[in-house]
Amino acid sequence: MELILLVEMLDPRNDFLFKRIFGSEENRDVLLTFLNRTFEEAGKPPLTEIILLNPYTDKDAPRDKQSILDIRARTLEGQLINVEMQLFNKYDMDKRTLFYWSKQYAGQLYEGQSYKMLRKCVTINILNYSFLPNSRYHNVFHLTEDRTGIPFSDDMELHFLELPKLDEQVVPAGSGGLVNWLLFLKGTNPSQWEVLAMNEPGLKKAMTTLEFLSQDKEARLQYEARQKYLHDEASMIEGAREEGLKLGKAEGKLEGKAEGMAEGKAEGKAEGKAEGERQKALEIARNMLNMGLEIEVIVKASGLSESEVCALKA
């Protein structure tokens, strides 16, 4: 790995680069090993083979604002797996996860097919921010009964891998497993790569791919374009939310006062608050539309329906 010290490594948490490393046909074995380490830590049996449903191609343009650079795969038994890297917090991750999981689950059936054709869908979210209120870097969710733990269905499985929760994690000596992959993705100093690769031989190919892409001029240009878009999108979403919150609070107070004078203090507060929330949502949506963000992102950030956002856009 002599090249590590000569080349500035690109960040594998960039979703475009992540898909190049894990979502290409030539690196299908890298993805399979990563998935097996993830499932192994969750007490699941290993996979023997996977089929990439959306392998990386030149059409995965990092400059395209509509691109969702996730990785979708199917096992030999028909189980569907979706892996997505999230560099920045787009908010409402819980609802976003359920939305995409439900689309994947329902999308299996064609008209007239039986529900028996539905197969298990697994979502794996790799997050570059803390999301869940605990210290575990790997959390797994299923549908179970509250008091007895009886499983309702095994068709839903959600994994959250939170990279910031590895801050205090020391590179394990002689210990394989998922943590080595996550430390690599988190950007562990390349001087530690040799230890990680010794622990996890499958990581060597991922590291070699990252080295190659870091030296490739076109790959660096695409990476930088995607990185800029991701930073700009995160800044615009945060800015729109902050401006919407400020405006909503101000308008809510004014509406509350006006209604209170006409219909009574209690009723005025309630209606003012509701109207303030409505105006806040509309302002967030207007700001995000002006910034050119996608309808889906705006719906999730503002809480408005898709039809309301489309009406604003029109």
Side-chain angles (χ1 to χ4, degrees), residues 230-249:
L230 292 172
H231 279 285
D232 289 348
E233 182 188 44
S235 297
M236 287 189 292
I237 291 175
E238 185 62 36
R241 286 175 65 91
E242 290 178 358
E243 287 300 315
L245 286 171
K246 290 178 183 177
L247 184 62
K249 287 179 181 179

Side-chain angles (χ1 to χ4, degrees), residues 175-192:
S175 175
L178 177 64
V179 68
N180 294 277
W181 291 86
L182 298 183
L183 287 170
F184 164 69
L185 289 172
K186 191 176 184 297
T188 293
N189 193 307
S191 64
Q192 300 290 333

Side-chain angles (χ1 to χ4, degrees), residues 200-245:
E200 277 289 307
L203 259 173
K204 182 68 179 293
K205 188 172 181 180
M207 293 171 175
T208 301
T209 304
L210 180 57
E211 285 180 358
F212 170 79
L213 293 172
S214 297
Q215 297 174 78
D216 184 81
K217 183 178 179 180
E218 180 60 27
R220 291 192 76 96
L221 289 174
Q222 292 179 315
Y223 164 87
E224 288 165 5
R226 184 63 176 177
Q227 198 79 342
K228 181 180 184 301
Y229 167 69
L230 292 172
H231 279 285
D232 289 348
E233 182 188 44
S235 297
M236 287 189 292
I237 291 175
E238 185 62 36
R241 286 175 65 91
E242 290 178 358
E243 287 300 315
L245 286 171

Side-chain angles (χ1 to χ4, degrees), residues 24 40 56 70 107 116 119 125 129 139 143 172:
S24 60
E40 177 185 58
Y56 171 80
D70 59 351
K116 291 181 179 180
R119 294 293 180 263
N125 289 320
Y129 55 89
N139 291 274
L143 287 172

